[in-house]
Amino acid sequence: MLFEKNKVYRRSFIHDQYGGSRQRGISTPNKHKLIFIFDSGMDQEFGYKNGWSEEDGLFYYSGEGQEGNQTFSFGNKALLHHIENGEDVYLFESLGKGNYRFVDQLVLIGYDIQFGIDKHQNQREVIVFAFEPLHVVQEESHEYATTMRYKSIVELERIANRDPKRATGLSMSIRKRQVREQTAALYYYVLARANNHC
């Protein structure tokens, strides 16, 4: 991992090292497969709240865009497609005065569209992403190893390419399970394609 958990970094240092926007909440460096989320803690002003859920262990993060309906463009688009684009997502929490605590590396579990308000107090649609720490997904995907080990390469490919974040009407617990299945299937799919010499 590029950053040490709970260590405090100057935001300017992060951008000096990797690039990316120095102002946006979602920063996407051009020359690195990285996405930085800088959680400022100022989100309630626009009718939504970022943070961890004790109920399901997920980090909920509202997309960028302070005016009108949020869309899947710029940073929101990058977060939506970070897995297929091979981009790592790193979460930083603001401590004020340009200092940020590194929280964890995240993986997208899904998203929902909710109603909120924009900076003009008009009602609008807000994208709410649900993330989970990557290490948790990797650890818990081992539970599905037995199930995936004996599937055909066609079945493994289908599961590995499944995209649960776009499945509407599913609870986050189901999406979490599907992501774990997908992670385990991807491992055995790569192994099968290499004729078990991977």
Side-chain angles (χ1 to χ4, degrees):
M1 195 178 301
L2 293 179
F3 303 96
E4 183 181 333
K5 286 184 67 172
N6 295 315
K7 183 175 178 179
V8 177
Y9 295 85
R10 295 287 296 171
R11 180 164 180 172
S12 57
F13 168 82
I14 296 169
H15 293 301
D16 288 345
Q17 295 292 312
Y18 301 103
S21 169
R22 295 172 182 262
Q23 303 297 324
R24 291 177 174 268
I26 304 169
S27 181
T28 55
N30 290 329
K31 297 181 180 180
H32 300 276
K33 291 280 192 177
L34 305 171
I35 302 173
F36 301 128
I37 296 176
F38 294 101
D39 185 17
S40 68
M42 303 290 288
D43 46 281
Q44 294 189 46
E45 177 183 351
F46 302 107
Y48 46 80
K49 187 175 186 297
N50 299 332
W52 293 94
S53 167
E54 293 184 8
E55 183 178 340
D56 57 22
L58 299 178
F59 178 75
Y60 289 91
Y61 184 74
S62 300
E64 64 181 5
Q66 298 178 1
E67 185 175 356
N69 291 336
Q70 291 184 348
T71 61
F72 288 107
S73 57
F74 304 106
N76 295 336
K77 182 178 180 180
L79 289 178
L80 179 66
H81 298 295
H82 87 90
I83 296 173
E84 50 263 52
N85 291 338
E87 295 172 321
D88 296 333
V89 176
Y90 294 92
L91 172 63
F92 293 86
E93 175 187 54
S94 175
L95 300 178
K97 298 183 178 180
N99 295 310
Y100 284 80
R101 180 179 69 88
F102 173 59
V103 180
D104 217 332
Q105 184 176 347
L106 305 179
V107 62
L108 182 65
I109 299 297
Y111 71 87
D112 286 311
I113 305 297
Q114 299 182 9
F115 289 107
I117 55 173
D118 68 10
K119 66 179 183 179
H120 303 296
Q121 302 300 305
N122 295 320
Q123 190 172 26
R124 50 87 170 259
E125 293 181 349
V126 175
I127 302 166
V128 180
F129 295 100
F131 291 96
E132 192 166 21
L134 177 63
H135 67 89
V136 174
V137 173
Q138 291 174 330
E139 291 164 7
E140 296 186 1
S141 67
H142 293 303
E143 297 175 17
Y144 298 91
T146 304
T147 307
M148 298 300 162
R149 184 177 296 139
Y150 301 106
K151 290 189 180 293
S152 71
I153 191 169
V154 174
E155 290 177 298
L156 290 171
E157 183 179 22
R158 179 184 58 79
I159 297 169
N161 290 327
R162 190 168 59 190
D163 193 358
K165 68 178 178 288
R166 293 184 180 172
T168 57
L170 295 180
S171 68
M172 282 300 170
S173 61
I174 292 175
R175 295 183 199 187
K176 287 171 70 173
R177 188 194 74 226
Q178 289 187 346
V179 168
R180 285 154 175 72
E181 290 175 345
Q182 184 180 24
T183 302
L186 181 60
Y187 172 80
Y188 285 104
Y189 173 68
V190 170
L191 201 64
R193 286 200 58 175
N195 293 316
N196 293 317
H197 294 295
C198 185

